[in-house]
Amino acid sequence: MKQIHSFEELKKAVGTEGKSFLLLYKSSGSEQNNCALKAVESAAANVVKVNVLTADVATVRDIHQQYGIASVPSLLEFENGELKKVLKGCSEERFYQNLFEGEAFHSSATGDNEKPQKNVVVYSTPTCTYCNAIKSYFKENNIRFRDIDVSRDQKAAEEMVKRSGQQGVPQTLINGQVVVGFDRPRINALLGIR
């Protein structure tokens, strides 16, 4: 984890490829700021190959203005150098770790005959047992996936309900096919897992 001191330094640290996360916080701030900083630091320490950055708005005054961030703590998610999402407030370490792991997890190639990876998105919440089970199952089977926490992303939650007609999680989208719940036989069939 790297401390950022200016907007210019942030642009270099984020780069133009891949995902990065920046926690904006205030060191002399509230319990929420202390909570977020501690949870993000702990989560980042447990995950490899994730670019996690921090900036203290008490000393860095140009970043939050660039992105219109009015309150801290806020976790900014960047993709290919562009701001994609802002998560406000403090969450548990496990939430941040799941967020970082979802972005850091890559399947390992097993040979030239390997089929191309299908697009897999898991809609979940941090406290959902079946959500955590399905994500573990994908990791065990070297399936790359994107994890979207619908308790934090209202727009994604609305899209999920519109797509499936269901509010329950987990919901998995595999190349456009919706699977509600941890339906292992259907998931295996769609992904070619035996």
Side-chain angles (χ1 to χ4, degrees):
M1 210 160 85
K2 180 179 179 185
Q3 185 75 22
I4 298 296
H5 300 95
S6 69
F7 178 67
E8 287 302 314
E9 186 181 350
L10 172 66
K11 287 195 320 190
K12 290 176 188 170
V14 167
T16 58
E17 292 184 15
K19 295 250 185 184
S20 296
F21 298 90
L22 170 70
L23 176 68
L24 289 175
Y25 71 99
K26 190 170 184 180
S27 59
S28 60
S30 66
E31 188 177 313
Q32 284 282 311
N33 282 281
N34 297 335
C35 166
L37 181 61
K38 183 179 176 185
V40 166
E41 284 177 338
S42 296
N46 292 322
V47 180
V48 294
K49 296 184 181 179
V50 174
N51 190 21
V52 180
L53 313 164
T54 59
D56 182 354
V57 297
T59 57
V60 181
R61 304 216 179 261
D62 57 351
I63 295 174
H64 63 286
Q65 294 172 347
Q66 289 286 338
Y67 297 109
I69 305 298
S71 64
V72 291
S74 291
L75 184 69
L76 285 64
E77 180 180 331
F78 295 89
E79 185 174 348
N80 301 329
E82 298 292 322
L83 179 64
K84 290 295 177 188
K85 190 179 347 177
V86 177
L87 303 169
K88 297 188 177 287
C90 177
S91 293
E92 295 177 8
E93 175 187 340
R94 183 177 55 176
F95 166 77
Y96 295 118
Q97 190 167 341
N98 286 339
L99 179 67
F100 300 156
E101 283 176 346
E103 301 306 336
F105 185 78
H106 299 285
S107 76
S108 55
T110 56
D112 294 337
N113 296 330
E114 186 173 319
K115 294 178 184 175
Q117 166 73 46
K118 294 188 178 184
N119 185 20
V120 179
V121 179
V122 177
Y123 294 90
S124 67
T125 61
T127 57
C128 165
T129 304
Y130 286 108
C131 300
N132 294 326
I134 200 168
K135 291 183 278 189
S136 294
Y137 184 69
F138 287 150
K139 290 174 186 178
E140 289 164 12
N141 286 281
N142 292 325
I143 303 295
R144 285 189 305 258
F145 63 93
R146 194 169 119 214
D147 182 27
I148 298 177
D149 179 359
V150 294
S151 72
R152 295 255 173 218
D153 189 336
Q154 186 61 36
K155 186 177 177 186
E158 290 168 4
E159 290 170 5
M160 176 191 79
V161 172
K162 185 176 179 184
R163 186 179 290 115
S164 69
Q166 304 281 329
Q167 289 185 345
V169 290
Q171 289 189 33
T172 307
L173 193 60
I174 302 172
N175 277 11
Q177 297 286 320
V178 177
V179 180
V180 178
F182 189 0
D183 185 346
R184 193 180 308 229
R186 180 140 189 258
I187 289 168
N188 289 352
L190 289 170
L191 292 174
I193 300 172
R194 295 175 189 178

